[in-house]
Amino acid sequence: MNEFLDKEEKILAMLKTVFDPEIPVNVYDLGLIYKVEIEDAKCSIDMTLTAPSCPAADFLVEDIRQKVGSVEGIDEVEVNLVFEPEWNKDMMSEEAKLELGFL
């Protein structure tokens, strides 16, 4: 596997360990991660929240920074909160919908 794909796979695995404290599903499967870009040792992530006034926003952003920053070959993590498009439950993975009783 090439180095880029390996790094991307490890980043996605780390994102799947970040949970909203109010919802028992990780941010990736919730559909909160809109974009992950890797350029050399920098990872830039666009993400949203289930609600703009989410009280866990700071916790989630910092948890993502720390966990993605622990991936070998990543020295800088930039997390951008975006609200377009607005998040909705259709953005969740099938696993997340099942876990939350939407299926």
Side-chain angles (χ1 to χ4, degrees):
M1 182 182 300
N2 78 34
E3 185 179 334
F4 178 83
L5 291 178
D6 186 48
K7 198 182 293 186
E8 183 179 56
E9 187 176 288
K10 288 177 180 175
I11 289 168
L12 295 182
M14 280 300 179
L15 289 172
K16 290 182 179 186
T17 69
V18 177
F19 288 80
D20 185 317
E22 299 175 344
I23 304 171
V25 177
N26 68 71
V27 294
Y28 188 81
D29 286 331
L30 274 174
L32 299 180
I33 305 299
Y34 286 171
K35 181 172 67 172
V36 176
E37 289 184 342
I38 305 163
E39 186 174 322
D40 299 320
K42 180 180 180 180
C43 180
S44 179
I45 299 169
D46 286 357
M47 72 169 289
T48 194
L49 304 168
T50 55
S53 59
C54 175
D58 291 340
F59 168 80
L60 291 172
V61 168
E62 188 55 32
D63 202 22
I64 288 171
R65 273 196 193 110
Q66 287 183 3
K67 289 182 175 175
V68 172
S70 74
V71 171
E72 186 177 335
I74 297 295
D75 297 328
E76 183 182 346
V77 180
E78 178 181 88
V79 181
N80 305 303
L81 283 178
V82 297
F83 296 99
E84 292 291 326
E86 187 175 330
W87 179 86
N88 66 68
K89 68 180 182 182
D90 293 334
M91 296 174 169
M92 292 189 291
S93 70
E94 295 295 316
E95 294 84 6
K97 289 177 184 176
L98 186 62
E99 177 76 27
L100 296 174
F102 290 119
L103 288 180

